[in-house]
Amino acid sequence: MVSSFCWGCLTRLRPTPPAVIPPMSVPRAASFHTSAVRLSVLKKKQNVIKSGFRESNSPKMKRKKNVERARPPPVGERKAIRKRLVLSNPNALEVEGMQDISAETMVDSRLRGSVLGLPVPMLTQLRAVEAFKPTQGWSIFRRPGTVVRRETLELGRLIDGISGDGADKGKSVKKIITGVRGSGKSVHLLQAMSMAFTKKWAVFTVPEPQDLVIAHTGYAPLSDETPNLYVQNVATAALLSRTLAANEELLKGLKVSQTHPPLKSAVKPGMTLADFVRLGIQDLATAWNVFQGLWSELTATAAAPGLESHFAPRPPMLVTVDGLAHWMKNSEYRTPEMKPIHAHDLVFVRHFLSLLKPGTEKATFPNGGLLLYATSASNNPSVYSFEAALKQVEARHAGVKPSAPEFPQPDPYSRADQRVLDAFDSPKPTVAKEEMLELQSLSGLTRDEARGFLEYFARSGLLQENINEEWVGEKWSLAGGGVIGELEKLGRRLRVGA
């Protein structure tokens, strides 16, 4: 059906005014809003870079100014600062009437609780064997000194008896020193060294056992016949250097009286032991053979055939190791197959651990001696096998047989290292004048010893307090029952009177 509208009718319709339909390009605000009408966004003109003749269109980068950086310290300077020792404080007061360690004072029970100074000529020897530790408070006093405690008097009488003509002459004593942190284990070893130097003993020390197992020194197989054992020539030469510097006067008075086939071409008749030790210091390849030769010379009781004219009686020996637990696990060294090397496979470590065993035909120290191995509480790896071995040592010394049910056994699920347990399996010695391995634990000072120690701080000018029984008892309790390291922290705080 056709619509009634025609084309003419449609053309006569009124056109819509333009104001009714606003242009879409102009945005308007809402009728209920008070803001002005937003303007249309104008297109940004594109910046056209007109390149000139031979000009680059790349953006220019600003050059950074060269910042002057400080030059790094020379090699070894940081380690030297870390291990720097200061043994004197000129600002501290001089303690009047202070006695030195000597053959008389080391056994005098009347000096218990007082502080004895270290003789000045002996400081060079103690420095050589690295007896001082940087963490110890030597730099706050006028001169270094140590307190005489009960264990110090026992140690002095033991060393005096081994050197004397009594029943203890030539005795071999072996002890492992334990204790809490700050109980004075390292200072106890220092006291033993000072007494040994007083009695003209030969002193061997291993001040840092950790340095031998952290792969910081060279190593090589001992020989083609024993490829599973490794020698550390640099560490052995360092031990010989320390021994020579500390015992030079003693070694100059002794001559070579034994045969040394590996060093036959270098050893001359009538050579002193000091010159013999220098062979290993100058030639690293012969360091281990020289050390073995020196050990055989100092433990000899008679001369080899044909060398009787060069023999003289050998002195007793003192051997100390500070930080024994580092030798009770795998080292950081590797075999050619990249397997870890156990610390007991290092001949340096094996020699000093073999001294814990009793001698078979003769004593460990035929001319007498003392072996002191100490643990560390501040730098001590957690080795379960070592802790179990120390408990067994204590039980054996108390008389408990390994077959007894109360004998401490390692936990079967702990995978204890049998090599560590065997190293401390020290039965009762069969040789005369050789004692059984003993475990000694250092505790805190008594109240009387703590009072004498704190009075030394007051006489040095570090304390301005009225030191009486009540005040000493308070500090003794705060120090965990007289732990000497904690007492030092309390005593070194400067107090100024009002």
Side-chain angles (χ1 to χ4, degrees):
M1 182 175 178
V2 182
S3 174
S4 59
F5 289 97
C6 61
W7 179 256
C9 297
L10 291 174
T11 56
R12 289 194 297 269
L13 293 176
R14 180 181 297 179
T16 305
V20 177
I21 302 176
M24 299 301 294
S25 60
V26 181
R28 293 181 177 272
S31 60
F32 54 84
H33 205 280
T34 59
S35 61
V37 179
R38 291 175 296 174
L39 300 177
S40 60
V41 180
L42 300 177
K43 294 183 178 181
K44 296 183 179 179
K45 297 181 180 180
Q46 297 181 356
N47 296 329
V48 180
I49 301 175
K50 297 180 179 180
S51 59
F53 179 71
R54 290 187 178 181
E55 290 184 3
S56 176
N57 295 333
S58 61
K60 295 182 179 180
M61 303 294 293
K62 293 183 179 180
R63 296 182 179 179
K64 295 183 178 180
K65 296 181 179 180
N66 294 331
V67 180
E68 295 183 359
R69 297 182 179 180
R71 182 176 297 180
V75 177
E77 183 175 348
R78 288 193 180 100
K79 184 177 181 181
I81 295 175
R82 187 174 68 251
K83 292 193 172 184
R84 184 172 61 97
L85 289 172
V86 180
L87 301 181
S88 177
N89 182 12
N91 296 323
L93 299 179
E94 181 73 26
V95 179
E96 298 181 0
M98 183 177 178
Q99 302 184 42
D100 292 343
I101 292 180
S102 62
E104 294 77 18
T105 57
M106 59 188 284
V107 295
D108 193 353
S109 59
R110 296 172 297 178
L111 298 175
R112 181 177 176 179
S114 60
V115 175
L116 296 180
L118 300 175
V120 176
M122 191 186 296
L123 297 181
T124 304
Q125 295 176 293
L126 294 175
R127 276 182 177 270
V129 295
E130 300 182 14
F132 301 103
K133 302 293 182 181
T135 56
Q136 297 167 347
W138 307 107
S139 60
I140 61 178
F141 300 106
R142 188 80 175 189
R143 51 175 300 195
T146 59
V147 63
V148 179
R149 53 197 297 182
R150 177 178 57 84
E151 294 82 2
T152 307
L153 291 174
E154 294 176 356
L155 180 64
R157 291 166 185 161
L158 177 62
I159 293 177
D160 184 67
I162 296 174
S163 303
D165 298 329
D168 294 338
K169 180 181 180 180
K171 182 186 292 186
S172 297
V173 181
K174 306 175 184 179
K175 293 184 179 182
I176 299 178
I177 311 299
T178 62
V180 298
R181 181 177 181 180
S183 57
K185 299 181 292 296
S186 298
V187 177
H188 189 70
L189 299 184
L190 182 144
Q191 292 174 342
M193 297 175 205
S194 62
M195 296 175 185
F197 285 133
T198 301
K199 291 293 185 178
K200 307 299 181 182
W201 284 23
V203 179
F204 289 82
T205 64
V206 184
E208 295 293 341
Q210 182 181 3
D211 294 344
L212 299 172
V213 295
I214 58 177
H216 280 198
T217 182
Y219 71 110
L222 181 61
S223 63
D224 296 336
E225 293 78 13
T226 56
N228 297 327
L229 297 179
Y230 300 88
V231 63
Q232 299 165 292
N233 290 323
V234 177
T236 308
L239 172 64
L240 293 175
S241 179
R242 293 195 304 268
T243 305
L244 178 61
N247 307 276
E248 186 172 6
E249 182 180 355
L250 173 67
L251 297 178
K252 284 182 178 179
L254 300 175
K255 296 183 179 181
V256 175
S257 62
Q258 306 295 318
T259 58
H260 306 284
L263 304 169
K264 187 176 181 180
S265 60
V267 179
K268 300 178 181 178
M271 175 183 289
T272 63
L273 292 185
D275 296 333
F276 180 72
V277 171
R278 289 190 181 95
L279 296 177
I281 300 175
Q282 297 171 359
D283 187 3
L284 297 181
T286 62
W288 179 248
N289 293 329
V290 171
F291 173 74
Q292 288 182 311
L294 176 64
W295 192 267
S296 64
E297 289 284 349
L298 293 176
T299 55
T301 55
L307 299 175
E308 291 82 0
S309 60
H310 302 303
F311 181 76
R314 286 359 188 182
M317 300 172 60
L318 171 67
V319 181
T320 65
V321 176
D322 194 359
L324 188 59
H326 293 284
W327 288 352
M328 302 302 151
K329 59 178 184 176
N330 289 332
S331 67
E332 298 298 330
Y333 294 100
R334 293 292 183 267
T335 63
E337 294 79 17
M338 293 305 296
K339 295 181 180 180
I341 299 175
H342 199 280
H344 295 187
D345 291 332
L346 304 173
V347 293
F348 190 109
V349 177
R350 172 172 289 205
H351 170 79
F352 285 95
L353 290 180
S354 65
L355 302 179
L356 296 171
K357 298 285 186 177
T360 53
E361 298 180 357
K362 61 179 182 179
T364 306
F365 304 111
N367 302 302
L370 177 61
L371 183 142
L372 292 178
Y373 289 177
T375 60
S376 176
S378 57
N379 182 18
N380 186 39
S382 179
V383 183
Y384 174 78
S385 305
F386 180 56
E387 297 173 359
L390 292 183
K391 294 180 181 178
Q392 292 182 353
V393 170
E394 187 177 10
R396 287 193 191 93
H397 190 265
V400 181
K401 296 182 179 181
S403 58
E406 59 270 16
F407 188 79
Q409 298 291 345
D411 188 357
Y413 297 100
S414 62
R415 299 180 181 179
D417 191 351
Q418 190 62 35
R419 300 185 65 177
V420 176
L421 298 177
D422 293 341
F424 293 89
D425 187 6
S426 179
K428 188 175 181 179
T430 58
V431 182
K433 291 189 177 182
E434 184 172 13
E435 293 190 354
M436 196 173 183
L437 181 62
E438 179 184 354
L439 185 68
Q440 181 180 3
S441 179
L442 291 183
S443 57
L445 303 179
T446 63
R447 291 178 182 266
D448 294 336
E449 294 170 352
R451 177 165 185 168
F453 184 59
L454 293 174
E455 286 178 352
Y456 176 69
F457 279 82
R459 297 170 65 188
S460 299
L462 297 177
L463 278 178
Q464 295 185 9
E465 295 283 346
N466 184 17
I467 300 179
N468 50 31
E469 294 295 335
E470 182 180 358
W471 186 85
V472 172
E474 176 188 353
K475 303 308 175 187
W476 184 87
S477 301
L478 291 175
V483 176
I484 190 169
E486 301 298 327
L487 282 174
E488 180 186 337
K489 293 178 182 178
L490 295 174
R492 68 191 304 173
R493 296 176 184 174
L494 183 62
R495 293 176 175 84
V496 181

